């Protein structure tokens, strides 16, 4: 017996239906906000994530599924979508077509984290990247879009945290002061953070072990006038749109490429896995990957987590209208024709297991939860009719076979 791998799930209805419903809500919103879909590969060069997500991030350092293929290339299963989208933007020279690209993606992501409720090794992310617009209205647009999708999906309780990480002008000074601070309290840090103080001091702020204590005492970043104005403008747009948020000056997010605005959508309904979505601006990523100097902002939310918070009604199956039974012999073909006719007319119908005995078909009909039973025997064939039995009331009528669709539609 071969079973699935730990952290990888089989998702049945009604949950799978909730995923489909969430995806269609998101697709509708993407259409309205004028984002187009980009399907990116699940496998990329290992280097892509090292260079973009960041060498010293947990995602790359500890959680990436990376392997060598038969051609001895170092590949990786994508742990997030942004690097692939940025690569595609550069590779296909989208900049020369139109530097401003609004893209969305939906797909599985892979991280070898310790599995627990709400944390899987394969999970779905739905994300957007708004490339080519440096204005704070772009940050606000993406945040409003995300908030709209989550509300439309029926999420009642989530909060938004907002911060600015500054830019190439104001970040270096902050980085220095953070390095000094971390060296002073080096003894109290976990081994991992101690090892990356000089390489990547920001990571201590979102380290699961050190984060809370470091956050309380670490220096807070001062923003340069441009970043401060940008941050204030984002907030002004969000206020105007009625999106509620709280500024958290210690939030840094777990990936390396962010500049200026970062944000996280959180909930208190999912226990320790409290993050629903995260994102931010990454104005220097595309250039650092060898592409043009274009700004960008984006986010991704975890579909698995959102689905687990959606009202169950969205996953309810549409009721089965009819279950078709043949009494055998010459009735099989007309019964099958009737069943196909119903489906082609858009009536949800099942049955068709005509090799089974009449009794066995009746039992299956009962189990199916169908509203009506449609029976065809040799008598009905001769008259071109069918028997319709209401499985709730037990009432029975004979109608012309050709009228079945209209009859059931009533
Ligand atoms: P990140 O790319 O780490 O910012 O994550 C963005 C969102 O993806 C999170 O807010 C979660 O909703 C979701 N997510 C991240 N990792 C996992 C995981 N291992 N299992 C399920 N969802 C995840």
């Amino acid at each position: 017996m071969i079973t699935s791998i730990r952290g990888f799930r089989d998702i049945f209805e009604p949950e799978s239906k909730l995923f489909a419903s969430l995806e269609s809500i998101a697709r509708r919103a993407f259409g309205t906000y004028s984002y187009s879909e980009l399907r990116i590969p699940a496998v990329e060069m290992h280097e892509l994530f090292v260079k973009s997500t960041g060498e010293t991030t947990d995602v790359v350092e500890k959680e990436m599924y990376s392997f060598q293929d038969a051609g001895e290339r170092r590949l990786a299963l994508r742990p997030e979508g942004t690097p692939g989208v940025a690569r595609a933007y550069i590779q296909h020279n989208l900049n020369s077509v139109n530097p401003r690209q609004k893209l969305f993606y939906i797909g599985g992501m892979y991280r070898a984290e310790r599995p627990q409720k709400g944390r899987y090794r394969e999970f779905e992310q739905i994300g957007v990247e708004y490339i080519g617009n440096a204005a704070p209205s772009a940050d606000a647009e993406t945040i409003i879009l995300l908030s709209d999708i989550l509300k439309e999906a029926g999420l009642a309780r989530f909060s938004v945290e907002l911060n600015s990480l500054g830019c190439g002008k104001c970040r270096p000074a902050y980085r220095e002061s953070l390095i000094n601070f971390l060296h002073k309290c080096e003894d109290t840090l976990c081994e991992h953070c101690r090892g990356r103080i000089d390489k990547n001091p920001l990571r201590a702020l979102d380290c699961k072990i050190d984060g809370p204590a470091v956050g309380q005492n670490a220096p807070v970043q001062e923003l340069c006038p441009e970043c401060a104005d940008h941050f204030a403008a984002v907030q002004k747009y969000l206020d105007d749109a009625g999106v509620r948020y709280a500024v958290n000056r210690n939030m840094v997010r777990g990936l390396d490429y962010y500049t200026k605005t970062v944000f996280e959508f959180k909930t208190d309904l999912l226990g320790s896995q409290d993050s629903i979505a995260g994102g931010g601006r990454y104005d220097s990523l595309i250039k650092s990957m060898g592409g043009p100097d274009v700004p960008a902002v984006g986010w991704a939310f975890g579909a698995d987590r959102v689905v687990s918070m959606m009202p169950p009604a969205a996953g309810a199956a549409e009721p089965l209208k009819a279950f078709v039974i043949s009494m055998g012999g010459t009735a099989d073909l007309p019964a099958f024709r009737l069943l196909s006719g119903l489906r082609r007319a858009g009536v949800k119908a099942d049955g068709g297991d005509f090799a089974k005995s009449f009794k066995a078909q009746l039992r299956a009909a009962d189990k199916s939860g169908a509203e009506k039973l449609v029976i065809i025997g040799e008598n009905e064939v001769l008259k071109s009719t069918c028997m319709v039995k209401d499985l709730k009331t037990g009432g029975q009528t004979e109608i012309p076979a050709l009228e079945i669709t209209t009859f059931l539609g009533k």
Side-chain angles (χ1 to χ4, degrees), residues 199-219:
K199 268 204 240 164
N200 199 340
L202 249 62
R203 291 286 74 82
L205 283 162
D206 58 14
C207 167
K208 286 178 187 102
I209 306 165
D210 299 326
V214 171
Q216 272 192 347
N217 304 309

Side-chain angles (χ1 to χ4, degrees), residues 46 65 74 192 232 257 274 318 392:
H46 173 97
Y65 281 102
R74 186 116 212 110
H192 197 208
Y257 44 70
D274 64 352
E318 192 196 325
K392 274 187 215 115

Side-chain angles (χ1 to χ4, degrees), residues 373-394:
L373 200 60
V374 181
I375 307 168
I376 299 192
E378 302 206 341
N379 270 337
E380 284 76 24
V381 175
L382 288 175
K383 293 185 278 176
S384 297
T385 60
C386 59
M387 290 297 300
V388 183
K389 185 174 175 187
D390 189 308
L391 281 170
K392 274 187 215 115
T393 63

